[in-house]
Amino acid sequence: MLNHIVIMGRLTRDPELRRTGSGVAVASFSVAVDRDFGGRDGGERETDFIDCVAWRQTGEFVSKYFTKGSMIVVSGRLQIRNWNDKDGNKRRSAEVVADNVYFGESKRSAESNSNYGGNAYGGNSYGGSSYSAPAPAPSYGGYSAPASAPASDFAMLEDDDAQLPF
């Protein structure tokens, strides 16, 4: 089974950081995500408002570095929660549980959007800065490449196609 979701949009409010009874950090936030297509009549795009939650260090990261209006990329899983409202009615809600969170624009773009009132998506770039668990160094069948190979290990090839066996 596969449950993986990636969304990119702007925060609708500042993230709310709370702690569980045992002190575990959890940040709640909502992301406004434009749909890729316009309305039925070809008019304005519709926007979905997606609730997200980030736990532990990821939650602290979101709370510290993102504010209302920030472009954010969230990678995680979709979770459906069942709960009862104050009248005892059964309810369901969907939220994205964030595994990785990335900046959706460079700091310069974010500053220009806030200082000059640029449009909501003008000048954005996929920043690539993120917070996630460190990845182990890749190894291939027990072999790990050296950090840098000396130049003498390489030889120049002649550009003579006559020597090719095919």
Side-chain angles (χ1 to χ4, degrees), residues 3-8 26-31 33 49-55 58 73-81 93-101:
N3 181 356
H4 186 80
I5 186 168
V6 178
I7 61 172
M8 179 176 182
V26 57
S28 300
F29 53 98
S30 182
V31 180
V33 179
F49 298 90
I50 301 172
D51 292 327
C52 300
V53 62
W55 292 85
T58 305
V73 180
V74 179
S75 171
R77 62 185 167 85
L78 185 63
Q79 178 174 286
I80 309 296
R81 290 188 301 120
S93 56
E95 63 188 2
V96 174
V97 179
D99 293 326
N100 299 303
V101 174

PDB file of all heavy atoms in Angstrom, residues 3-8 26-31 33 49-55 58 73-81 93-101:
ATOM      1  N   ASN A   3       0.739   5.492   0.594  1.00  0.00           N
ATOM      2  CA  ASN A   3       0.031   6.691   1.031  1.00  0.00           C
ATOM      3  C   ASN A   3       1.061   7.805   1.110  1.00  0.00           C
ATOM      4  O   ASN A   3       1.732   7.981   2.123  1.00  0.00           O
ATOM      5  CB  ASN A   3      -0.635   6.458   2.387  1.00  0.00           C
ATOM      6  CG  ASN A   3      -1.411   7.671   2.874  1.00  0.00           C
ATOM      7  OD1 ASN A   3      -1.413   8.724   2.255  1.00  0.00           O
ATOM      8  ND2 ASN A   3      -2.065   7.515   4.006  1.00  0.00           N
ATOM      9  N   HIS A   4       1.242   8.531   0.021  1.00  0.00           N
ATOM     10  CA  HIS A   4       2.219   9.615  -0.028  1.00  0.00           C
ATOM     11  C   HIS A   4       1.580  10.800  -0.747  1.00  0.00           C
ATOM     12  O   HIS A   4       0.967  10.631  -1.797  1.00  0.00           O
ATOM     13  CB  HIS A   4       3.475   9.170  -0.773  1.00  0.00           C
ATOM     14  CG  HIS A   4       4.562  10.195  -0.734  1.00  0.00           C
ATOM     15  ND1 HIS A   4       5.376  10.362   0.355  1.00  0.00           N
ATOM     16  CD2 HIS A   4       4.948  11.110  -1.629  1.00  0.00           C
ATOM     17  CE1 HIS A   4       6.215  11.355   0.108  1.00  0.00           C
ATOM     18  NE2 HIS A   4       5.981  11.823  -1.096  1.00  0.00           N
ATOM     19  N   ILE A   5       1.743  11.978  -0.165  1.00  0.00           N
ATOM     20  CA  ILE A   5       1.154  13.183  -0.749  1.00  0.00           C
ATOM     21  C   ILE A   5       2.178  14.304  -0.687  1.00  0.00           C
ATOM     22  O   ILE A   5       2.946  14.401   0.274  1.00  0.00           O
ATOM     23  CB  ILE A   5      -0.150  13.574  -0.019  1.00  0.00           C
ATOM     24  CG1 ILE A   5      -0.853  14.733  -0.708  1.00  0.00           C
ATOM     25  CG2 ILE A   5       0.096  13.862   1.444  1.00  0.00           C
ATOM     26  CD1 ILE A   5      -2.266  14.970  -0.207  1.00  0.00           C
ATOM     27  N   VAL A   6       2.203  15.118  -1.729  1.00  0.00           N
ATOM     28  CA  VAL A   6       3.048  16.307  -1.765  1.00  0.00           C
ATOM     29  C   VAL A   6       2.157  17.472  -2.180  1.00  0.00           C
ATOM     30  O   VAL A   6       1.468  17.393  -3.195  1.00  0.00           O
ATOM     31  CB  VAL A   6       4.214  16.164  -2.771  1.00  0.00           C
ATOM     32  CG1 VAL A   6       5.042  17.440  -2.814  1.00  0.00           C
ATOM     33  CG2 VAL A   6       5.087  14.972  -2.413  1.00  0.00           C
ATOM     34  N   ILE A   7       2.155  18.521  -1.374  1.00  0.00           N
ATOM     35  CA  ILE A   7       1.379  19.715  -1.701  1.00  0.00           C
ATOM     36  C   ILE A   7       2.284  20.936  -1.621  1.00  0.00           C
ATOM     37  O   ILE A   7       3.271  20.946  -0.891  1.00  0.00           O
ATOM     38  CB  ILE A   7       0.156  19.903  -0.770  1.00  0.00           C
ATOM     39  CG1 ILE A   7       0.586  20.052   0.691  1.00  0.00           C
ATOM     40  CG2 ILE A   7      -0.832  18.766  -0.944  1.00  0.00           C
ATOM     41  CD1 ILE A   7      -0.546  20.428   1.633  1.00  0.00           C
ATOM     42  N   MET A   8       1.927  21.953  -2.412  1.00  0.00           N
ATOM     43  CA  MET A   8       2.673  23.207  -2.402  1.00  0.00           C
ATOM     44  C   MET A   8       1.661  24.342  -2.415  1.00  0.00           C
ATOM     45  O   MET A   8       0.739  24.349  -3.242  1.00  0.00           O
ATOM     46  CB  MET A   8       3.576  23.314  -3.621  1.00  0.00           C
ATOM     47  CG  MET A   8       4.366  24.593  -3.681  1.00  0.00           C
ATOM     48  SD  MET A   8       5.472  24.545  -5.114  1.00  0.00           S
ATOM     49  CE  MET A   8       6.312  26.094  -4.916  1.00  0.00           C
ATOM     50  N   VAL A  26       4.147  19.573  18.437  1.00  0.00           N
ATOM     51  CA  VAL A  26       3.263  19.326  17.302  1.00  0.00           C
ATOM     52  C   VAL A  26       2.779  20.673  16.770  1.00  0.00           C
ATOM     53  O   VAL A  26       2.303  21.510  17.527  1.00  0.00           O
ATOM     54  CB  VAL A  26       2.076  18.394  17.677  1.00  0.00           C
ATOM     55  CG1 VAL A  26       1.269  18.950  18.823  1.00  0.00           C
ATOM     56  CG2 VAL A  26       1.205  18.120  16.477  1.00  0.00           C
ATOM     57  N   ALA A  27       2.984  20.901  15.494  1.00  0.00           N
ATOM     58  CA  ALA A  27       2.570  22.156  14.857  1.00  0.00           C
ATOM     59  C   ALA A  27       1.390  21.869  13.931  1.00  0.00           C
ATOM     60  O   ALA A  27       1.415  20.924  13.150  1.00  0.00           O
ATOM     61  CB  ALA A  27       3.714  22.770  14.065  1.00  0.00           C
ATOM     62  N   SER A  28       0.366  22.716  14.016  1.00  0.00           N
ATOM     63  CA  SER A  28      -0.794  22.630  13.133  1.00  0.00           C
ATOM     64  C   SER A  28      -0.793  23.851  12.229  1.00  0.00           C
ATOM     65  O   SER A  28      -0.519  24.963  12.693  1.00  0.00           O
ATOM     66  CB  SER A  28      -2.078  22.609  13.944  1.00  0.00           C
ATOM     67  OG  SER A  28      -2.092  21.504  14.812  1.00  0.00           O
ATOM     68  N   PHE A  29      -1.106  23.642  10.956  1.00  0.00           N
ATOM     69  CA  PHE A  29      -1.164  24.751  10.014  1.00  0.00           C
ATOM     70  C   PHE A  29      -2.052  24.353   8.849  1.00  0.00           C
ATOM     71  O   PHE A  29      -2.386  23.182   8.670  1.00  0.00           O
ATOM     72  CB  PHE A  29       0.232  25.172   9.548  1.00  0.00           C
ATOM     73  CG  PHE A  29       1.077  24.054   8.989  1.00  0.00           C
ATOM     74  CD1 PHE A  29       1.181  23.852   7.623  1.00  0.00           C
ATOM     75  CD2 PHE A  29       1.784  23.216   9.831  1.00  0.00           C
ATOM     76  CE1 PHE A  29       1.964  22.839   7.105  1.00  0.00           C
ATOM     77  CE2 PHE A  29       2.578  22.187   9.320  1.00  0.00           C
ATOM     78  CZ  PHE A  29       2.665  22.001   7.962  1.00  0.00           C
ATOM     79  N   SER A  30      -2.444  25.339   8.064  1.00  0.00           N
ATOM     80  CA  SER A  30      -3.306  25.106   6.914  1.00  0.00           C
ATOM     81  C   SER A  30      -2.645  25.712   5.686  1.00  0.00           C
ATOM     82  O   SER A  30      -2.070  26.797   5.749  1.00  0.00           O
ATOM     83  CB  SER A  30      -4.670  25.751   7.164  1.00  0.00           C
ATOM     84  OG  SER A  30      -5.535  25.514   6.091  1.00  0.00           O
ATOM     85  N   VAL A  31      -2.727  24.996   4.550  1.00  0.00           N
ATOM     86  CA  VAL A  31      -2.087  25.420   3.311  1.00  0.00           C
ATOM     87  C   VAL A  31      -3.143  25.632   2.236  1.00  0.00           C
ATOM     88  O   VAL A  31      -3.996  24.764   2.011  1.00  0.00           O
ATOM     89  CB  VAL A  31      -1.057  24.360   2.836  1.00  0.00           C
ATOM     90  CG1 VAL A  31      -0.387  24.794   1.545  1.00  0.00           C
ATOM     91  CG2 VAL A  31      -0.028  24.086   3.915  1.00  0.00           C
ATOM     92  N   VAL A  33      -3.938  25.684  -1.520  1.00  0.00           N
ATOM     93  CA  VAL A  33      -3.346  25.074  -2.705  1.00  0.00           C
ATOM     94  C   VAL A  33      -4.286  25.295  -3.884  1.00  0.00           C
ATOM     95  O   VAL A  33      -5.442  24.880  -3.854  1.00  0.00           O
ATOM     96  CB  VAL A  33      -3.124  23.560  -2.488  1.00  0.00           C
ATOM     97  CG1 VAL A  33      -2.523  22.922  -3.726  1.00  0.00           C
ATOM     98  CG2 VAL A  33      -2.247  23.313  -1.277  1.00  0.00           C
ATOM     99  N   PHE A  49      -8.125  24.275   0.809  1.00  0.00           N
ATOM    100  CA  PHE A  49      -7.477  24.635   2.066  1.00  0.00           C
ATOM    101  C   PHE A  49      -7.241  23.342   2.826  1.00  0.00           C
ATOM    102  O   PHE A  49      -8.191  22.702   3.277  1.00  0.00           O
ATOM    103  CB  PHE A  49      -8.332  25.624   2.851  1.00  0.00           C
ATOM    104  CG  PHE A  49      -8.521  26.912   2.101  1.00  0.00           C
ATOM    105  CD1 PHE A  49      -9.589  27.087   1.234  1.00  0.00           C
ATOM    106  CD2 PHE A  49      -7.595  27.944   2.226  1.00  0.00           C
ATOM    107  CE1 PHE A  49      -9.751  28.265   0.520  1.00  0.00           C
ATOM    108  CE2 PHE A  49      -7.747  29.123   1.515  1.00  0.00           C
ATOM    109  CZ  PHE A  49      -8.820  29.280   0.671  1.00  0.00           C
ATOM    110  N   ILE A  50      -5.980  22.942   2.931  1.00  0.00           N
ATOM    111  CA  ILE A  50      -5.616  21.621   3.440  1.00  0.00           C
ATOM    112  C   ILE A  50      -4.965  21.762   4.817  1.00  0.00           C
ATOM    113  O   ILE A  50      -3.960  22.467   4.968  1.00  0.00           O
ATOM    114  CB  ILE A  50      -4.672  20.913   2.453  1.00  0.00           C
ATOM    115  CG1 ILE A  50      -5.377  20.792   1.093  1.00  0.00           C
ATOM    116  CG2 ILE A  50      -4.241  19.562   2.984  1.00  0.00           C
ATOM    117  CD1 ILE A  50      -4.498  20.290  -0.022  1.00  0.00           C
ATOM    118  N   ASP A  51      -5.551  21.070   5.800  1.00  0.00           N
ATOM    119  CA  ASP A  51      -4.992  21.066   7.150  1.00  0.00           C
ATOM    120  C   ASP A  51      -3.794  20.136   7.200  1.00  0.00           C
ATOM    121  O   ASP A  51      -3.796  19.050   6.609  1.00  0.00           O
ATOM    122  CB  ASP A  51      -6.040  20.599   8.163  1.00  0.00           C
ATOM    123  CG  ASP A  51      -7.181  21.585   8.317  1.00  0.00           C
ATOM    124  OD1 ASP A  51      -6.922  22.800   8.197  1.00  0.00           O
ATOM    125  OD2 ASP A  51      -8.317  21.146   8.564  1.00  0.00           O
ATOM    126  N   CYS A  52      -2.748  20.571   7.928  1.00  0.00           N
ATOM    127  CA  CYS A  52      -1.514  19.793   8.052  1.00  0.00           C
ATOM    128  C   CYS A  52      -1.091  19.756   9.511  1.00  0.00           C
ATOM    129  O   CYS A  52      -1.413  20.660  10.290  1.00  0.00           O
ATOM    130  CB  CYS A  52      -0.386  20.406   7.233  1.00  0.00           C
ATOM    131  SG  CYS A  52      -0.718  20.518   5.471  1.00  0.00           S
ATOM    132  N   VAL A  53      -0.343  18.730   9.857  1.00  0.00           N
ATOM    133  CA  VAL A  53       0.235  18.609  11.188  1.00  0.00           C
ATOM    134  C   VAL A  53       1.661  18.090  11.038  1.00  0.00           C
ATOM    135  O   VAL A  53       1.932  17.230  10.196  1.00  0.00           O
ATOM    136  CB  VAL A  53      -0.622  17.695  12.107  1.00  0.00           C
ATOM    137  CG1 VAL A  53      -0.698  16.284  11.573  1.00  0.00           C
ATOM    138  CG2 VAL A  53      -0.127  17.713  13.526  1.00  0.00           C
ATOM    139  N   ALA A  54       2.573  18.660  11.818  1.00  0.00           N
ATOM    140  CA  ALA A  54       3.977  18.237  11.794  1.00  0.00           C
ATOM    141  C   ALA A  54       4.422  17.972  13.231  1.00  0.00           C
ATOM    142  O   ALA A  54       4.163  18.790  14.119  1.00  0.00           O
ATOM    143  CB  ALA A  54       4.859  19.306  11.156  1.00  0.00           C
ATOM    144  N   TRP A  55       5.069  16.868  13.456  1.00  0.00           N
ATOM    145  CA  TRP A  55       5.474  16.443  14.794  1.00  0.00           C
ATOM    146  C   TRP A  55       6.966  16.661  15.034  1.00  0.00           C
ATOM    147  O   TRP A  55       7.750  16.730  14.107  1.00  0.00           O
ATOM    148  CB  TRP A  55       5.156  14.961  14.982  1.00  0.00           C
ATOM    149  CG  TRP A  55       3.683  14.687  15.024  1.00  0.00           C
ATOM    150  CD1 TRP A  55       2.866  14.487  13.956  1.00  0.00           C
ATOM    151  CD2 TRP A  55       2.865  14.624  16.185  1.00  0.00           C
ATOM    152  NE1 TRP A  55       1.590  14.287  14.387  1.00  0.00           N
ATOM    153  CE2 TRP A  55       1.548  14.359  15.748  1.00  0.00           C
ATOM    154  CE3 TRP A  55       3.108  14.758  17.553  1.00  0.00           C
ATOM    155  CZ2 TRP A  55       0.489  14.219  16.631  1.00  0.00           C
ATOM    156  CZ3 TRP A  55       2.047  14.617  18.433  1.00  0.00           C
ATOM    157  CH2 TRP A  55       0.762  14.352  17.980  1.00  0.00           C
ATOM    158  N   THR A  58      10.287  18.519  13.052  1.00  0.00           N
ATOM    159  CA  THR A  58       9.669  19.101  11.865  1.00  0.00           C
ATOM    160  C   THR A  58       8.645  20.153  12.275  1.00  0.00           C
ATOM    161  O   THR A  58       8.562  21.220  11.673  1.00  0.00           O
ATOM    162  CB  THR A  58       9.022  18.003  10.995  1.00  0.00           C
ATOM    163  OG1 THR A  58      10.014  17.006  10.695  1.00  0.00           O
ATOM    164  CG2 THR A  58       8.471  18.570   9.709  1.00  0.00           C
ATOM    165  N   VAL A  73       6.226  23.683   0.877  1.00  0.00           N
ATOM    166  CA  VAL A  73       6.031  22.385   0.234  1.00  0.00           C
ATOM    167  C   VAL A  73       6.020  21.350   1.352  1.00  0.00           C
ATOM    168  O   VAL A  73       6.942  21.294   2.158  1.00  0.00           O
ATOM    169  CB  VAL A  73       7.155  22.063  -0.771  1.00  0.00           C
ATOM    170  CG1 VAL A  73       6.928  20.703  -1.417  1.00  0.00           C
ATOM    171  CG2 VAL A  73       7.266  23.151  -1.822  1.00  0.00           C
ATOM    172  N   VAL A  74       4.947  20.555   1.402  1.00  0.00           N
ATOM    173  CA  VAL A  74       4.784  19.555   2.445  1.00  0.00           C
ATOM    174  C   VAL A  74       4.731  18.177   1.792  1.00  0.00           C
ATOM    175  O   VAL A  74       3.948  17.957   0.877  1.00  0.00           O
ATOM    176  CB  VAL A  74       3.492  19.802   3.258  1.00  0.00           C
ATOM    177  CG1 VAL A  74       3.319  18.741   4.339  1.00  0.00           C
ATOM    178  CG2 VAL A  74       3.494  21.198   3.871  1.00  0.00           C
ATOM    179  N   SER A  75       5.558  17.280   2.275  1.00  0.00           N
ATOM    180  CA  SER A  75       5.570  15.899   1.812  1.00  0.00           C
ATOM    181  C   SER A  75       5.236  15.021   3.010  1.00  0.00           C
ATOM    182  O   SER A  75       5.838  15.158   4.069  1.00  0.00           O
ATOM    183  CB  SER A  75       6.957  15.558   1.270  1.00  0.00           C
ATOM    184  OG  SER A  75       7.059  14.187   1.007  1.00  0.00           O
ATOM    185  N   GLY A  76       4.272  14.138   2.833  1.00  0.00           N
ATOM    186  CA  GLY A  76       3.888  13.290   3.957  1.00  0.00           C
ATOM    187  C   GLY A  76       2.828  12.290   3.551  1.00  0.00           C
ATOM    188  O   GLY A  76       2.820  11.800   2.428  1.00  0.00           O
ATOM    189  N   ARG A  77       1.896  12.027   4.480  1.00  0.00           N
ATOM    190  CA  ARG A  77       0.837  11.059   4.220  1.00  0.00           C
ATOM    191  C   ARG A  77      -0.509  11.664   4.589  1.00  0.00           C
ATOM    192  O   ARG A  77      -0.598  12.541   5.450  1.00  0.00           O
ATOM    193  CB  ARG A  77       1.077   9.768   4.996  1.00  0.00           C
ATOM    194  CG  ARG A  77       1.075   9.942   6.503  1.00  0.00           C
ATOM    195  CD  ARG A  77       1.445   8.644   7.212  1.00  0.00           C
ATOM    196  NE  ARG A  77       1.738   8.896   8.601  1.00  0.00           N
ATOM    197  CZ  ARG A  77       0.835   8.958   9.560  1.00  0.00           C
ATOM    198  NH1 ARG A  77      -0.433   8.777   9.283  1.00  0.00           N
ATOM    199  NH2 ARG A  77       1.181   9.197  10.802  1.00  0.00           N
ATOM    200  N   LEU A  78      -1.542  11.201   3.920  1.00  0.00           N
ATOM    201  CA  LEU A  78      -2.898  11.647   4.200  1.00  0.00           C
ATOM    202  C   LEU A  78      -3.454  10.786   5.313  1.00  0.00           C
ATOM    203  O   LEU A  78      -3.336   9.558   5.286  1.00  0.00           O
ATOM    204  CB  LEU A  78      -3.765  11.524   2.946  1.00  0.00           C
ATOM    205  CG  LEU A  78      -5.179  12.058   3.063  1.00  0.00           C
ATOM    206  CD1 LEU A  78      -5.178  13.556   3.333  1.00  0.00           C
ATOM    207  CD2 LEU A  78      -5.961  11.741   1.799  1.00  0.00           C
ATOM    208  N   GLN A  79      -4.059  11.430   6.308  1.00  0.00           N
ATOM    209  CA  GLN A  79      -4.624  10.715   7.450  1.00  0.00           C
ATOM    210  C   GLN A  79      -6.064  11.161   7.650  1.00  0.00           C
ATOM    211  O   GLN A  79      -6.346  12.357   7.646  1.00  0.00           O
ATOM    212  CB  GLN A  79      -3.797  11.009   8.701  1.00  0.00           C
ATOM    213  CG  GLN A  79      -4.312  10.368   9.965  1.00  0.00           C
ATOM    214  CD  GLN A  79      -3.362  10.604  11.113  1.00  0.00           C
ATOM    215  OE1 GLN A  79      -2.299   9.991  11.178  1.00  0.00           O
ATOM    216  NE2 GLN A  79      -3.728  11.488  12.013  1.00  0.00           N
ATOM    217  N   ILE A  80      -6.964  10.211   7.820  1.00  0.00           N
ATOM    218  CA  ILE A  80      -8.370  10.492   8.089  1.00  0.00           C
ATOM    219  C   ILE A  80      -8.620  10.215   9.565  1.00  0.00           C
ATOM    220  O   ILE A  80      -8.298   9.136  10.066  1.00  0.00           O
ATOM    221  CB  ILE A  80      -9.298   9.603   7.226  1.00  0.00           C
ATOM    222  CG1 ILE A  80      -8.920   9.675   5.753  1.00  0.00           C
ATOM    223  CG2 ILE A  80     -10.754   9.965   7.474  1.00  0.00           C
ATOM    224  CD1 ILE A  80      -9.075  11.023   5.115  1.00  0.00           C
ATOM    225  N   ARG A  81      -9.178  11.203  10.260  1.00  0.00           N
ATOM    226  CA  ARG A  81      -9.478  11.036  11.682  1.00  0.00           C
ATOM    227  C   ARG A  81     -10.990  11.010  11.885  1.00  0.00           C
ATOM    228  O   ARG A  81     -11.708  11.830  11.321  1.00  0.00           O
ATOM    229  CB  ARG A  81      -8.885  12.178  12.511  1.00  0.00           C
ATOM    230  CG  ARG A  81      -7.385  12.139  12.603  1.00  0.00           C
ATOM    231  CD  ARG A  81      -6.826  13.155  13.584  1.00  0.00           C
ATOM    232  NE  ARG A  81      -7.195  14.528  13.257  1.00  0.00           N
ATOM    233  CZ  ARG A  81      -7.891  15.338  14.057  1.00  0.00           C
ATOM    234  NH1 ARG A  81      -8.322  14.923  15.224  1.00  0.00           N
ATOM    235  NH2 ARG A  81      -8.167  16.574  13.692  1.00  0.00           N
ATOM    236  N   SER A  93     -12.361  13.992   9.476  1.00  0.00           N
ATOM    237  CA  SER A  93     -11.567  15.083   8.916  1.00  0.00           C
ATOM    238  C   SER A  93     -10.273  14.501   8.354  1.00  0.00           C
ATOM    239  O   SER A  93      -9.746  13.517   8.859  1.00  0.00           O
ATOM    240  CB  SER A  93     -11.281  16.168   9.962  1.00  0.00           C
ATOM    241  OG  SER A  93     -10.662  15.629  11.093  1.00  0.00           O
ATOM    242  N   ALA A  94      -9.822  15.131   7.284  1.00  0.00           N
ATOM    243  CA  ALA A  94      -8.587  14.697   6.626  1.00  0.00           C
ATOM    244  C   ALA A  94      -7.502  15.726   6.900  1.00  0.00           C
ATOM    245  O   ALA A  94      -7.763  16.928   6.951  1.00  0.00           O
ATOM    246  CB  ALA A  94      -8.820  14.564   5.123  1.00  0.00           C
ATOM    247  N   GLU A  95      -6.281  15.246   7.082  1.00  0.00           N
ATOM    248  CA  GLU A  95      -5.140  16.129   7.264  1.00  0.00           C
ATOM    249  C   GLU A  95      -3.903  15.454   6.711  1.00  0.00           C
ATOM    250  O   GLU A  95      -3.844  14.235   6.591  1.00  0.00           O
ATOM    251  CB  GLU A  95      -4.949  16.497   8.739  1.00  0.00           C
ATOM    252  CG  GLU A  95      -4.628  15.322   9.630  1.00  0.00           C
ATOM    253  CD  GLU A  95      -4.636  15.663  11.110  1.00  0.00           C
ATOM    254  OE1 GLU A  95      -4.921  16.812  11.466  1.00  0.00           O
ATOM    255  OE2 GLU A  95      -4.350  14.767  11.909  1.00  0.00           O
ATOM    256  N   VAL A  96      -2.916  16.266   6.362  1.00  0.00           N
ATOM    257  CA  VAL A  96      -1.632  15.754   5.903  1.00  0.00           C
ATOM    258  C   VAL A  96      -0.690  15.721   7.103  1.00  0.00           C
ATOM    259  O   VAL A  96      -0.507  16.729   7.781  1.00  0.00           O
ATOM    260  CB  VAL A  96      -1.035  16.637   4.783  1.00  0.00           C
ATOM    261  CG1 VAL A  96       0.369  16.183   4.421  1.00  0.00           C
ATOM    262  CG2 VAL A  96      -1.945  16.624   3.564  1.00  0.00           C
ATOM    263  N   VAL A  97      -0.135  14.561   7.377  1.00  0.00           N
ATOM    264  CA  VAL A  97       0.884  14.418   8.423  1.00  0.00           C
ATOM    265  C   VAL A  97       2.226  14.591   7.726  1.00  0.00           C
ATOM    266  O   VAL A  97       2.625  13.760   6.899  1.00  0.00           O
ATOM    267  CB  VAL A  97       0.785  13.051   9.132  1.00  0.00           C
ATOM    268  CG1 VAL A  97       1.872  12.930  10.190  1.00  0.00           C
ATOM    269  CG2 VAL A  97      -0.594  12.871   9.746  1.00  0.00           C
ATOM    270  N   ALA A  98       2.914  15.680   8.036  1.00  0.00           N
ATOM    271  CA  ALA A  98       4.141  16.054   7.326  1.00  0.00           C
ATOM    272  C   ALA A  98       5.329  15.211   7.778  1.00  0.00           C
ATOM    273  O   ALA A  98       5.603  15.106   8.969  1.00  0.00           O
ATOM    274  CB  ALA A  98       4.434  17.529   7.548  1.00  0.00           C
ATOM    275  N   ASP A  99       6.012  14.618   6.806  1.00  0.00           N
ATOM    276  CA  ASP A  99       7.287  13.953   7.063  1.00  0.00           C
ATOM    277  C   ASP A  99       8.437  14.910   6.774  1.00  0.00           C
ATOM    278  O   ASP A  99       9.406  14.968   7.510  1.00  0.00           O
ATOM    279  CB  ASP A  99       7.438  12.710   6.188  1.00  0.00           C
ATOM    280  CG  ASP A  99       6.445  11.617   6.551  1.00  0.00           C
ATOM    281  OD1 ASP A  99       6.116  11.478   7.744  1.00  0.00           O
ATOM    282  OD2 ASP A  99       5.997  10.906   5.633  1.00  0.00           O
ATOM    283  N   ASN A 100       8.326  15.652   5.659  1.00  0.00           N
ATOM    284  CA  ASN A 100       9.341  16.620   5.245  1.00  0.00           C
ATOM    285  C   ASN A 100       8.652  17.925   4.875  1.00  0.00           C
ATOM    286  O   ASN A 100       7.573  17.911   4.287  1.00  0.00           O
ATOM    287  CB  ASN A 100      10.115  16.118   4.024  1.00  0.00           C
ATOM    288  CG  ASN A 100      10.842  14.824   4.309  1.00  0.00           C
ATOM    289  OD1 ASN A 100      11.648  14.747   5.216  1.00  0.00           O
ATOM    290  ND2 ASN A 100      10.545  13.800   3.526  1.00  0.00           N
ATOM    291  N   VAL A 101       9.301  19.016   5.196  1.00  0.00           N
ATOM    292  CA  VAL A 101       8.787  20.346   4.878  1.00  0.00           C
ATOM    293  C   VAL A 101       9.898  21.129   4.203  1.00  0.00           C
ATOM    294  O   VAL A 101      11.048  21.084   4.639  1.00  0.00           O
ATOM    295  CB  VAL A 101       8.322  21.065   6.164  1.00  0.00           C
ATOM    296  CG1 VAL A 101       7.937  22.483   5.879  1.00  0.00           C
ATOM    297  CG2 VAL A 101       7.171  20.311   6.808  1.00  0.00           C
TER     298      VAL A 101
END
